[in-house]
Amino acid sequence: MQDFVSREKSRLLEDLKSWLRIPSISTLPENAGDCRKAAEWLAARLKKLGFQVNTIETDRHPILWAEGPAVPGAPTVLSYGHYDVQPPDPLNEWVTGPFEPTERNGNLYARGTADDKGQVFCVVSAVEALQANGGLPVNMRFLIEGEEEIGSKGLTKFLKAEPDRVKADAVLVTDVHMVAPGYPSVDTALRGIVHAEIKVRTLKKDLHSGLYGGAAPNAIETLWHLLEQLKPPTGTMRIPGFYDRVAKPSARELKAWKALPVTERGFIKEAGAKALGGEKKFSFLERVWARPTFEVHGIVGGFQGAGAKTVIPAEATAKCSLRLVPKQRAADAAAQLKKAVKKFAPKYAEVSVEILSTADPVETPLEAWPFEVLDKAYREVWKRGIAPIRSGGSIPIVPLLQQRKAPVLLTGIGLPDDGLHAPNEKLTLEQLWKGIPLFARFLQLMGERGGK
Ligand code: BES
Ligand code: MN
Ligand code: MN
């Protein structure tokens, strides 16, 4: 397998770059055509590797369902990922353009390198390596969507209508990262999410801030007081009922986390911060992996142009999300948020909450046999077995990938400092070159186990 990589490296890199050049930003309507192009790019790739590819239409961006050649008696492995990416702004912070993939000091920089095109490409290339070495040892399927970054609505509908698509011996989800370079890991839980927009209106129209200021209610000011009520500086939310079902990580888990090669100082440095924020009683790992939270992503309202304008804004909006941990339910949290906003909203303001998307948290226990296989593959290729970790991120479709009881393996070749959703997102090329033989070996070992 290593031969395949050494031989094909430069061509593979050019291929990946051509995929990364397609700005498949799922949230922006003007990039819908690019999303389709990115799907077509991958469909062509998989067809070339002998896969039967179906393009499934949704209300927005297409899903790809691809089946490899049948291998009678061998296990079935389903690989999930996404070809859509987050918007690249702020553009001026990119050293090279987000859609002009560029190599610098061993990394490939572009939007989507780590999240998630590069990681999908890694598994697809492992399949290519196996095809070049006598064929696939398992019944391989790919399920690749274009709406992950906007909540996976189309795929949710599809998998609810066709639950048997996820019947498999293992579902491989390469949309996460390893805990540190040289330390392969598997996530045992992901946080869920409630994406919301809170809108405040305090006036019929904007007013002169001299003539009315001091007496007329300002929508931005009302909004910030409201947000402060929901989440005071202690970092613990004041949403009634919100913590009722929060499950504590087990003592065993906490102990395992202590042994991980990550430190609070390292985390602060990686974040580019001066100190930690949030709930002081909890370690940084608990804060991002095992505690629910609330973040404001953007505040819209008032005057945003160059220069000055003395105005009292009539309306203000906060784009925000709650992150949820195991045992919480997205539908409950959404209802609790709406109720809390109502409770804290002053009488003089019209306040509304719109829920944009939701995803439940997931638990993916590592008991099933495919985890042993994965561990063995990592030991052989990476010289270290898998560490159980969690991740604070969300992958909305995972609960439905579990609906036929297949074990879901959340593992990836990305690194914590890849800069997902941020400027200068990168993939460390060494990780990619090692990832290809890793996933190839994993599939070989799956085949050898023959479904037992
Ligand atoms: N791949 C990420 C989630 C992730 C990253 C999980 C690293 C674990 C480790 C995914 O693409 C993502 O960003 N999800 C969104 C989901 C949301 C937009 C519905 C998220 O977590 O914000
Ligand atoms: Mn992703
Ligand atoms: Mn993402």
Side-chain angles (χ1 to χ4, degrees):
M1 294 305 146
Q2 209 57 65
D3 297 356
F4 171 83
V5 172
S6 335
R7 201 172 63 231
E8 302 292 336
K9 232 177 191 176
S10 52
R11 195 235 340 144
L12 289 172
L13 192 56
E14 286 316 306
D15 289 352
L16 174 56
K17 284 183 184 173
S18 66
W19 197 23
L20 291 165
R21 282 192 194 102
I22 306 169
S24 45
I25 307 161
S26 51
T27 199
L28 302 179
E30 61 267 34
N31 291 93
D34 295 310
C35 289
R36 186 163 297 271
K37 273 190 203 143
E40 283 165 0
W41 187 98
L42 184 62
R45 182 72 173 206
L46 290 168
K47 276 181 197 155
K48 225 167 114 187
L49 297 178
F51 278 66
Q52 276 232 354
V53 185
N54 289 313
T55 303
I56 295 142
E57 295 299 329
T58 71
D59 290 342
R60 295 191 69 183
H61 315 305
I63 301 162
L64 293 185
W65 172 265
E67 286 188 25
V71 188
T76 298
V77 176
L78 172 64
S79 175
Y80 164 85
H82 60 95
Y83 64 77
D84 64 320
V85 301
Q86 288 268 331
D89 59 281
L91 281 177
N92 59 350
E93 287 188 28
W94 285 80
V95 176
T96 48
F99 300 105
E100 294 157 26
T102 309
E103 288 162 72
R104 268 196 310 280
N105 41 52
N107 297 323
L108 182 63
Y109 290 87
R111 175 58 90 231
T113 45
D115 190 11
D116 184 31
K117 285 173 178 164
Q119 302 220 65
V120 171
F121 186 81
C122 186
V123 182
V124 172
S125 300
V127 164
E128 188 175 337
L130 290 164
Q131 293 287 52
N133 271 274
L136 277 164
V138 294
N139 293 290
M140 190 71 199
R141 286 138 176 49
F142 282 97
L143 179 58
I144 310 293
E145 66 159 320
E147 298 180 341
E148 195 279 339
E149 301 290 8
I150 51 172
S152 300
K153 288 203 175 87
L155 185 55
T156 297
K157 201 167 150 193
F158 176 65
L159 288 185
K160 279 189 172 159
E162 301 192 34
D164 285 347
R165 296 268 180 170
V166 300
K167 263 193 181 168
D169 294 279
V171 181
L172 178 64
V173 177
T174 52
D175 190 24
V176 301
H177 52 64
M178 54 177 70
V179 69
Y183 282 81
S185 52
V186 174
D187 286 310
T188 61
L190 294 177
R191 289 198 285 194
I193 190 167
V194 174
H195 225 121
E197 247 178 62
I198 302 175
K199 191 172 268 179
V200 172
R201 179 167 272 279
T202 52
L203 299 164
K204 274 218 179 85
K205 56 179 171 39
D206 291 1
L207 296 173
H208 189 295
S209 70
L211 303 181
Y212 295 89
N218 180 317
I220 294 182
E221 185 183 327
T222 303
L223 179 62
W224 91 56
H225 286 307
L226 176 62
L227 295 173
E228 176 98 6
Q229 294 282 330
L230 291 170
K231 185 188 181 188
T234 58
T236 305
M237 270 85 74
R238 284 214 218 105
I239 301 176
F242 186 63
Y243 290 93
D244 289 359
R245 297 180 63 179
V246 169
K248 285 201 178 68
S250 68
R252 221 174 106 199
E253 238 182 330
L254 289 171
K255 199 175 148 210
W257 295 354
K258 282 226 169 78
L260 294 172
V262 291
T263 61
E264 184 177 309
R265 266 189 57 201
F267 177 85
I268 292 172
K269 192 164 164 238
E270 182 194 300
K274 293 211 166 89
L276 289 185
E279 295 178 296
K280 295 219 158 42
K281 302 197 290 252
F282 297 92
S283 72
F284 76 99
L285 283 182
E286 286 173 271
R287 287 183 219 183
V288 292
W289 288 356
R291 293 290 295 168
T293 188
F294 175 78
E295 298 293 342
V296 178
H297 310 302
I299 292 192
V300 186
F303 179 63
Q304 312 256 349
K309 180 184 181 191
T310 46
V311 68
I312 300 177
E315 193 176 90
T317 303
K319 288 172 178 282
C320 49
S321 68
L322 293 166
R323 293 277 170 175
L324 311 174
V325 297
K327 308 291 186 242
Q328 289 187 294
R329 283 289 153 265
D332 296 344
Q336 287 163 345
L337 174 68
K338 283 189 165 176
K339 230 173 134 181
V341 167
K342 225 181 199 161
K343 179 176 140 190
F344 293 131
K347 292 226 162 46
Y348 63 77
E350 279 168 41
V351 180
S352 63
V353 180
E354 191 193 343
I355 304 294
L356 302 180
S357 74
T358 62
D360 281 327
V362 285
E363 289 176 274
T364 48
L366 310 188
E367 272 115 46
W369 64 268
F371 290 100
E372 280 168 39
V373 174
L374 183 66
D375 186 65
K376 183 152 191 264
Y378 270 116
R379 279 179 202 280
E380 286 182 22
V381 178
W382 230 279
K383 310 295 174 221
R384 191 186 289 276
I386 49 179
I389 63 165
R390 289 197 191 186
S391 177
S394 310
I395 304 176
I397 206 63
V398 174
L400 286 179
L401 295 177
Q402 292 177 316
Q403 68 184 331
R404 283 291 182 262
K405 309 286 178 229
V408 172
L409 285 60
L410 296 161
T411 196
I413 51 131
L415 292 174
D417 67 350
D418 283 344
L420 312 188
H421 300 193
N424 304 307
E425 178 183 346
K426 59 91 173 159
L427 180 66
T428 297
L429 286 168
E430 214 38 59
Q431 297 284 113
L432 174 63
W433 306 136
K434 247 169 129 169
I436 295 170
L438 179 264
F439 291 120
R441 190 67 189 132
F442 167 67
L443 295 173
Q444 271 179 344
L445 291 170
M446 283 296 291
E448 284 172 22
R449 284 286 288 254
K452 285 171 289 292

